[in-house]
Amino acid sequence: MHILINILHIVAAVFIVGPMAILPMTAMRSIRAGQAGPVATLAKSVNIFTLLSIVVAFFGFGALGLKEADDAWTFGSTWVWLSLVLYVIALAINLFLVVPALKAAAESLATDAAGAKAAGYPRIAAGSGVASLMLVAVVVLMVWKP
């Protein structure tokens, strides 16, 4: 059962957290092209993938709870709680900074193409960049386990 939960955790991370990190960058390309429709769709997609990423954390807790007896990791291990803190911050950045900025950019593009880039582009770039770096740090912690 431990191996199955680990596999589910890793597969979910690849197919859910990956798009969560990459889709805002695709949206920035659509903003530069002045395409309101794709930006609105990508805002919804980023929101959905960000919320779905909670499944990855759920499987991670399952994997930790079903760990083998010779593993010394606990919920109090530094790499576990630090990974969780970084993930929660990345989740909050996506939900409360990136997604609203994407929605605002889509609305702005739909009405006035000139103001959209100035209004939301820097927030999307900075927020998604910081969130992606935090998610990379989570991966490093998961592999390294200091």
Side-chain angles (χ1 to χ4, degrees):
M1 187 62 132
H2 173 67
I3 292 173
L4 176 64
I5 296 295
N6 272 340
I7 290 170
L8 289 172
H9 176 63
I10 293 167
V11 169
V14 169
F15 289 105
I16 295 173
V17 176
M20 172 184 153
I22 297 300
L23 288 177
M25 295 170 203
T26 304
M28 290 188 303
R29 185 179 311 131
S30 295
I31 291 170
R32 288 190 303 268
Q35 302 169 328
V39 175
T41 301
L42 287 164
K44 291 176 189 172
S45 297
V46 171
N47 190 41
I48 290 168
F49 277 108
T50 301
L51 292 172
L52 276 175
S53 72
I54 296 169
V55 170
V56 177
F58 176 75
F59 285 136
F61 282 127
L64 193 59
L66 295 173
K67 68 181 173 37
E68 299 190 13
D70 58 339
D71 292 336
W73 311 310
T74 66
F75 289 103
S77 298
T78 303
W79 68 271
V80 174
W81 66 261
L82 191 56
S83 295
L84 187 59
V85 167
L86 291 172
Y87 163 72
V88 168
I89 293 170
L91 181 91
I93 289 171
N94 262 10
L95 288 177
F96 301 116
L97 178 72
V98 175
V99 171
L102 285 169
K103 288 178 181 178
E107 290 174 12
S108 190
L109 278 171
T111 58
D112 175 33
K117 185 175 179 182
Y121 195 88
R123 286 186 298 159
I124 297 164
S128 64
V130 169
S132 294
L133 286 174
M134 289 185 175
L135 294 171
V136 168
V138 168
V139 171
V140 169
L141 288 168
M142 294 283 161
V143 172
W144 181 29
K145 298 177 183 154

